[in-house]
Amino acid sequence: MRSTDTLTRAEIAEAIHRKLGISRAESLAMVEAILQHMCTALSDGENVKISGFGTFLLRDKGERVGRNPKTGVEVPITPRRVMTFRASQMLKDRIATD
């Protein structure tokens, strides 16, 4: 797989369909349900950990002063919550060897 390729929901659902033998509609519904559950947990302020894959972490960033790089004018950046992804060691190892 080249770095320009992108794995989509439909491709994940197709892989589940082939591997488990369930219908395409059921496999797509399964993918959607998993992603919806993850989104709900994150929006409720929970971190999401998938063992052997990685962790989606929420972090609150406070207000700070930023600078417009073109004009140099200082601009306040409002506080916000951001999500980061930390890959598991197993995933890092697989990526490094593939």
Side-chain angles (χ1 to χ4, degrees):
M1 180 186 269
R2 294 186 348 245
S3 62
T4 57
D5 291 340
T6 303
L7 181 65
T8 65
R9 291 176 188 206
E11 291 170 335
I12 295 169
E14 181 64 27
I16 292 171
H17 161 71
R18 279 186 264 116
K19 186 104 173 173
L20 300 180
I22 60 176
S23 74
R24 283 184 172 85
E26 287 176 322
S27 62
L28 185 57
M30 183 185 298
V31 170
E32 292 295 334
I34 291 167
L35 293 174
Q36 180 61 44
H37 191 68
M38 290 173 61
C39 288
T40 301
L42 288 165
S43 66
D44 290 343
E46 299 176 50
N47 293 327
V48 175
K49 180 177 182 176
I50 302 172
S51 185
F53 183 72
T55 306
F56 296 90
L57 298 164
L58 294 173
R59 199 173 110 212
D60 290 320
K61 295 180 94 175
E63 185 172 357
R64 59 192 172 95
V65 176
R67 192 176 311 265
N68 182 329
K70 191 171 185 179
T71 64
V73 175
E74 290 186 354
V75 180
I77 299 173
T78 58
R80 63 188 189 275
R81 176 173 282 170
V82 295
M83 183 188 68
T84 60
F85 176 74
R86 182 173 296 147
S88 72
Q89 191 59 49
M90 186 183 300
L91 179 59
K92 289 177 185 179
D93 292 344
R94 288 191 71 178
I95 291 171
T97 59
D98 288 347

